[in-house]
Amino acid sequence: MLMQTHEARLSALREELKRRELDGFIVPISDEHMSEYVGSYAQRIGWLTGFGGSAGSAIVLQHTAAMFVDGRYTIQVRDQVDGNLYEYQSTLETDHAKWLIASCEKGMRIGYDAWLHSRGWAQDLAAALAKKGVELVATDGNPIDAVWDDQPAPSPAPAVVHTEEFAGKSSAEKRAEIADWLKAEELDSAVISALDSVAWLLNIRGADVDRTPVALSYLIAHADGTAELFIAPEKVTPELEQHLGNAVTIRDRAEFTGGLKGMAGKTVAVDPDFGVAAIYQALDEGGATTVAMRDPAIMPKAIKNPVEQQGHRDAQARDGAALAKFLHWLSHEPSKGGQTELSAVAKLREFRDETGVLKDQSFDTISASGPNGALCHYRVDEESNRDIEPGSVFLCDSGGQYLDGTTDITRTVWIAGEGDKAEPNDEVRDRYTRVLKGHIQIARAIFPQGTSGGQLDAFARQYLWEAGVDYAHGTGHGVGSFLAVHEGPQRIGKLSGGQAGTNQELFAGMILSNEPGYYKAGEFGIRIENLVLVEEQDIDAMEGVYLGFENLTWVPMARNMLDMSLLTAEEKQWWNDYHATTREILAPQLDGDVLAWLEDACQPI
């Protein structure tokens, strides 16, 4: 009989922990590759607690349990996770070690799955708990899997070739560059465990993780340019074998641990952020010397080659036309009544499907009406679905996966009603305009080589800070090329936020989002997001190398939400230039009423 309630599932887990002589267990949102988004088989925290966010963790003890989330999910976790079963903890205030030390007694044994956590995390937590006499124990298999009766199996979808037409560089060239790096660092091999790194390096894609076109696999790259791909046999096609050639040995994914243990005497690089504790353990047991170094595919993957850059431009232009059709629809249909957040998701997907080349969404669309917009990473379902009400703010954050690029765009609009609901109130206009001003500052930023995303973050927040408000998420994240919509290592965010990537130097060729926002709990949310490409600047008498951003996203913004008194002449000029280019790019793709709407939306202010 399937366990339908989260209380029953929590009880079953506790019984399983007793059977294993464990006093507790730590549950992350993760898979064996430390992915941000994971396959359905790895959605353990969702099954256990009901939480649907993309970042968070739980700790279950026999007498208590807790959910840990950051500021993005403060409201969402309370909506989705039963407070009678779990305490709510903020990761900014309480980490795993602090909570466990306060909650555990001497002699307790706390379990963790070594395939779902980094070695550094395990070492640090074990050392902290040891001071209180509490032992951290790597489990033999995941205890949640033992009680999850209807756990989905990993996807059997085949891996497919991502052609050089879109990749811009052959897998052989990429592997040769990795081999040169290994030789320069006096290393024999590197374990590549991040799914998007394997996909990028081999020029392959898959369908094993919703919204991210990757195939569940591991790669060991060697200094002689050869590699070993560990992947389930059912995923291997003749086309894949021909594409990879003789230099890449294909092995069963189940042989990965044995392959690691067979590297005796080798010096092997493992990324401490993506190489789970179990990988280090297997290498150590096999007699290899491990060196913690960044995955050598990460930087070349982040710095897009000219083909990838042009692919992004093409994908954005195509996607922008679909968004224009959607915004035209939003301009009149919801005001008639009868439209919901879910109907908006379906309509936007319909417009993207009309391109004929959409492969998938790049993430689950955030379609948020009124107070749901205040949940900055809200995901609509049948239970939370709200009507899109006239006289309210509607926020839509969405993206598409195309062979030539990955898109991510947010637009916030006013759904017009009658009378005093026809136009946004002064507070909405003020907040929207302050978000826009910050967006413009990032878009127009010029900065010297060596600048990190963290150093730019305050540009986006300054006008909100002037009003005594802020937002609890980063300002920008990296984006892949027909890969992960969230791609490191670059990031724009607060230097004090503790998140990886804010100290990463920005290089020409990197793509980031530009997405400041504002969220008023219980009322509305505002976010304006475009993607931008880092590019070198040509400045007269330039002293050194300076960088700036090329805008990639071209979709009209909401003119009727502006407070014109807050905009400078330069900002108005930016707005007019942006919309003139938007019209130039999108108009040839549109006709009829949508084209007329576009012409009006792009009129200068």
Side-chain angles (χ1 to χ4, degrees):
M1 180 177 177
L2 301 181
M3 290 171 285
Q4 299 300 323
T5 70
H6 295 113
E7 184 176 10
R9 294 171 182 179
L10 180 60
S11 177
L13 176 59
R14 284 175 167 150
E15 288 302 313
E16 177 66 17
L17 296 179
K18 286 180 183 177
R19 190 185 70 78
R20 295 174 180 238
E21 299 182 343
L22 293 172
D23 299 289
F25 186 67
I26 302 167
V27 189
I29 298 176
S30 186
D31 62 8
E32 303 91 333
H33 309 272
M34 300 296 286
S35 306
E36 178 182 12
Y37 299 112
V38 301
S40 57
Y41 78 95
Q43 298 277 1
R44 297 178 178 92
I45 203 167
W47 177 84
L48 180 66
T49 71
F51 181 62
S54 63
S57 57
I59 300 180
V60 174
L61 302 180
Q62 290 296 341
H63 62 287
T64 188
M67 274 292 307
F68 296 77
V69 297
D70 61 30
R72 296 173 294 172
Y73 297 108
T74 300
I75 301 173
Q76 182 175 338
V77 73
R78 286 163 172 78
D79 288 341
Q80 296 179 332
V81 178
D82 189 342
N84 294 316
L85 302 178
Y86 296 88
E87 302 174 13
Y88 306 123
Q89 296 291 336
S90 167
T91 55
L92 296 178
E93 299 170 3
T94 306
D95 59 19
H96 292 159
K98 185 184 297 184
W99 189 86
L100 283 168
I101 288 170
S103 305
C104 291
E105 301 294 334
K106 183 178 180 180
M108 283 187 170
R109 303 173 74 244
I110 306 299
Y112 78 102
D113 186 338
W115 284 100
L116 303 181
H117 297 272
S118 70
R119 181 178 68 165
W121 173 91
Q123 290 175 334
D124 290 346
L125 183 58
L129 296 182
K131 295 177 181 178
K132 190 170 180 177
V134 176
E135 183 182 4
L136 186 67
V137 181
T139 59
D140 181 11
N142 193 300
I144 291 179
D145 297 350
V147 297
W148 187 355
D149 293 334
D150 57 344
Q151 183 179 20
S155 162
V160 297
V161 177
H162 188 57
T163 65
E164 205 170 324
E165 173 189 358
F166 300 109
K169 184 181 289 188
S170 72
S171 175
E173 290 178 275
K174 295 176 181 180
R175 295 197 310 274
E177 291 174 2
I178 300 300
D180 289 342
W181 177 83
L182 288 168
K183 285 180 280 193
E185 296 292 339
E186 299 183 346
L187 299 167
D188 295 300
S189 307
V191 175
I192 311 293
S193 56
L195 294 175
D196 59 340
S197 288
V198 176
W200 177 86
L201 184 54
L202 295 183
N203 284 350
I204 63 174
R205 298 295 188 265
D208 292 349
V209 177
D210 287 346
R211 315 310 189 197
T212 307
V214 293
L216 292 172
S217 54
Y218 298 97
L219 189 75
I220 301 177
H222 301 297
D224 62 1
T226 65
E228 297 171 77
L229 174 65
F230 295 84
I231 188 168
E234 62 267 24
K235 296 181 174 298
V236 180
T237 64
E239 291 79 12
L240 183 70
E241 292 180 312
Q242 182 178 3
H243 165 70
L244 294 176
N246 295 330
V248 179
T249 302
I250 300 175
R251 301 178 62 179
D252 193 323
R253 179 179 162 90
E255 299 175 6
F256 181 57
T257 300
L260 296 173
K261 291 181 177 179
M263 300 186 74
K266 303 292 187 182
T267 303
V268 184
V270 184
D271 190 313
D273 293 326
F274 296 101
V276 295
I279 290 176
Y280 283 95
Q281 180 181 346
L283 288 167
D284 290 343
E285 290 177 0
T289 299
T290 58
V291 181
M293 298 184 74
R294 175 185 276 177
D295 172 348
I298 281 181
M299 284 302 290
K301 172 165 55 71
I303 299 173
K304 307 298 185 271
N305 63 51
V307 170
E308 291 172 320
Q309 293 177 27
Q310 186 56 47
H312 265 275
R313 295 184 188 100
D314 295 341
Q316 299 289 345
R318 183 188 314 118
D319 200 62
L323 262 293
K325 294 176 182 179
F326 177 65
L327 291 176
H328 167 253
W329 179 84
L330 278 177
S331 72
H332 59 87
E333 286 299 325
S335 295
K336 300 175 184 177
Q339 298 299 334
T340 68
E341 293 169 338
L342 283 174
S343 71
V345 171
K347 181 57 67 171
L348 178 52
R349 178 62 187 255
E350 177 186 320
F351 289 132
R352 281 196 166 107
D353 281 334
E354 287 177 0
T355 66
V357 292
L358 181 75
K359 294 299 182 182
D360 194 2
Q361 297 170 193
S362 58
F363 56 96
D364 289 335
T365 296
I366 298 173
S367 173
S369 176
N372 284 344
L375 309 174
C376 56
H377 284 75
Y378 168 73
R379 184 170 64 184
V380 60
D381 57 27
E382 292 288 351
E383 186 175 337
S384 68
N385 186 31
R386 286 178 57 90
D387 288 342
I388 302 177
E389 298 176 356
S392 68
V393 177
F394 178 73
L395 182 156
C396 187
D397 186 349
S398 69
Q401 291 283 11
Y402 304 92
L403 288 176
D404 49 0
T406 298
T407 71
D408 184 2
I409 173 176
T410 307
R411 289 294 182 264
T412 307
V413 300
W414 178 257
I415 305 300
E418 299 292 333
D420 61 357
K421 293 184 177 181
E423 299 288 341
N425 62 35
D426 290 344
E427 181 186 28
V428 169
R429 289 181 188 274
D430 177 273
R431 298 302 190 247
Y432 183 90
T433 308
R434 291 178 186 277
V435 169
L436 172 68
K437 286 167 72 72
H439 179 97
I440 293 172
Q441 289 303 310
I442 294 293
R444 297 178 66 236
I446 295 175
F447 46 94
Q449 183 75 66
T451 300
S452 70
Q455 291 173 290
L456 300 180
D457 184 71
F459 290 14
R461 299 179 191 269
Q462 57 183 307
Y463 303 106
L464 290 165
W465 288 349
E466 285 178 356
V469 295
D470 199 359
Y471 51 94
H473 59 74
T475 299
H477 56 81
V479 178
S481 288
F482 189 44
L483 271 177
V485 72
H486 291 168
E487 177 182 275
Q490 71 274 21
R491 181 177 182 274
I492 303 175
K494 292 182 180 180
L495 287 168
S496 60
Q499 290 188 280
T502 53
N503 286 308
Q504 171 62 53
E505 178 182 350
L506 300 181
F507 291 97
M510 287 180 166
I511 292 175
L512 297 112
S513 64
N514 172 10
E515 52 178 311
Y518 170 75
Y519 311 91
K520 186 172 184 179
E523 296 197 27
F524 62 88
I526 292 167
R527 186 159 65 250
I528 301 172
E529 178 186 17
N530 287 350
L531 299 188
V532 293
L533 171 69
V534 183
E535 61 177 0
E536 287 194 21
Q537 300 295 295
D538 184 9
I539 303 172
D540 292 341
M542 185 168 58
E543 298 178 359
V545 176
Y546 276 73
L547 304 172
F549 295 117
E550 173 193 337
N551 193 78
L552 295 173
T553 306
W554 303 101
V555 175
M557 300 176 186
R559 186 172 63 225
N560 66 347
M561 293 183 72
L562 293 176
D563 180 344
M564 296 294 183
S565 69
L566 292 177
L567 293 176
T568 66
E570 290 179 333
E571 289 164 343
K572 291 177 181 178
Q573 187 61 56
W574 182 93
W575 174 282
N576 290 339
D577 291 344
Y578 176 83
H579 284 86
T581 304
T582 296
R583 181 197 175 282
E584 179 182 341
I585 290 173
L586 299 188
Q589 305 178 68
L590 305 172
D591 56 25
D593 291 343
V594 181
L595 178 58
W597 173 87
L598 177 76
E599 296 279 4
D600 179 68
C602 292
Q603 289 294 316
I605 58 176

